[in-house]
Amino acid sequence: MRNSRAKVTILADNRADAPLVAEHGLALWIESGSRKILLDTGQGESFFTNASLLGIDLRETDTLVLSHGHYDHTGSVARVLEEAPQVDVYLHPAAFLPRYSHRNGQARPVQAPGTAMSSIIAHPEPKVHWVNGVAVLANGINITGPIPRKTDFEDTGGTFSLDPEGRTPDLIRDDLALWISTDEGLVICTGCCHSGIVNTLSYIMLRSGEERIKSIVGGLHLVNAGRERLQRTVEELNKLNIEELVPCHCTGDEAVAYLYDNLDCRVTPGYAGMRV
């Protein structure tokens, strides 16, 4: 079943439309039919400040979806659950793993904060849904669950591990996306797209049976992508029926510019306060 329309508002992003506040993080407010869904909660206080400035009452949230267990997507989970105790929470079981990012020989913890973990553990058990496959939120609204990784040019977008020494790579298997089937095609919302945007779109089109893509909104984690990956990404995306791409958060300025110059679809850089 399709929805007549969907509206996505960017609540937290690396860029913001004044007087909203920018931060390194992502949160999307999704309205479709009677559903009011949060995809991620950003890193910190900008999330609540921006929601207030935009006139969005987070107490009305009925569903919280966590795209993966990184701090910049889960920083405000505890407060959301406090203000909207009725919400159903959807996340992958691996979202609570210890995680590290490595740069210049230094390991930096990037896992979800302890407050997010403890608040979900304390949340009513029937309201917490562990996503290991496609999950249906409502007619025409779905979560991917783990996304098969079939391309040979897409990776997680950085050097991640499950230990500070870097012995055990973190493939971020909990990465997931959300899609809404509308009369005009798919509206697809991503967190960081650690599975790769091409893998993500291919899987969603396969599972939905829909090839028209109305809008893609969210992070693409191309900030560290080399020219070959960008070229091959564009080649594959230009084969698809995409109307609009709104890159956010971890896509990276250079990658956004490359996508803008080379994709056949409309590319509009996202920012907190933008409504799609």
Side-chain angles (χ1 to χ4, degrees):
M1 183 174 179
R2 294 173 178 170
N3 295 272
S4 60
R5 63 178 300 179
K7 182 168 71 174
V8 181
T9 303
I10 303 173
L11 287 185
D13 187 54
N14 297 40
R15 301 169 64 242
D17 186 24
L20 274 65
V21 182
E23 70 172 21
H24 178 78
L26 185 74
L28 303 178
W29 175 255
I30 303 161
E31 299 172 84
S32 184
S34 62
R35 302 305 297 266
K36 295 183 177 179
I37 303 166
L38 270 175
L39 177 66
D40 295 339
T41 67
Q43 180 181 164
E45 286 301 314
S46 81
F47 171 71
F48 295 95
T49 299
N50 293 345
S52 177
L53 289 170
L54 292 168
I56 292 173
D57 188 351
L58 295 172
R59 293 173 297 181
E60 297 179 356
T61 309
D62 55 60
T63 306
L64 170 62
V65 179
L66 299 181
S67 66
H68 62 298
H70 278 166
Y71 73 99
D72 49 338
H73 295 256
T74 57
S76 299
V77 166
R79 186 170 165 188
V80 168
L81 296 186
E82 180 180 342
E83 296 202 4
Q86 75 281 358
V87 302
D88 283 281
V89 184
Y90 290 79
L91 72 164
H92 188 275
F96 288 165
L97 289 173
R99 335 188 86 135
Y100 299 85
S101 174
H102 296 262
R103 183 179 299 176
N104 300 323
Q106 298 294 316
R108 179 172 65 94
V110 293
Q111 69 265 20
T115 54
M117 302 179 191
S118 59
S119 65
I120 290 175
I121 291 171
H123 202 56
E125 187 174 347
K127 291 285 188 179
V128 179
H129 308 271
W130 303 102
V131 180
N132 287 295
V134 172
V136 179
L137 298 185
N139 287 331
I141 307 177
N142 302 269
I143 305 171
T144 59
I147 297 165
R149 306 185 183 189
K150 297 188 175 182
T151 60
D152 61 1
F153 60 91
E154 295 183 293
D155 55 39
T156 57
T159 305
F160 300 100
S161 72
L162 298 175
D163 60 286
E165 295 77 24
R167 292 190 295 260
T168 306
D170 182 6
L171 301 180
I172 317 181
R173 293 297 187 190
D174 53 321
D175 174 70
L176 52 83
L178 178 149
W179 84 83
I180 304 169
S181 298
T182 77
D183 293 338
E184 299 181 66
L186 298 168
V187 174
I188 296 171
C189 299
T190 67
C192 270
C193 221
H194 287 292
S195 302
I197 184 58
V198 176
N199 285 327
T200 299
L201 298 183
S202 298
Y203 186 60
I204 289 174
M205 288 189 295
L206 174 67
R207 296 307 301 261
S208 68
E210 173 64 81
E211 295 185 352
R212 298 171 303 149
I213 299 174
K214 173 68 175 175
S215 298
I216 305 164
V217 185
L220 306 183
H221 220 296
L222 295 172
V223 64
N224 297 316
R227 184 50 60 97
E228 180 182 358
R229 177 173 179 177
L230 291 175
Q231 289 174 339
R232 296 190 65 183
T233 297
V234 163
E235 288 173 5
E236 294 302 317
L237 294 184
N238 278 338
K239 296 176 183 177
L240 305 179
N241 182 10
I242 303 171
E243 182 174 329
E244 178 183 36
L245 173 65
V246 181
C248 304
H249 179 43
C250 54
T251 306
D253 291 342
E254 292 185 13
V256 169
Y258 187 87
L259 297 172
Y260 182 87
D261 290 338
N262 293 280
L263 281 179
D264 295 336
C265 67
R266 182 169 69 252
V267 177
T268 308
Y271 55 87
M274 182 179 182
R275 287 188 165 101
V276 181

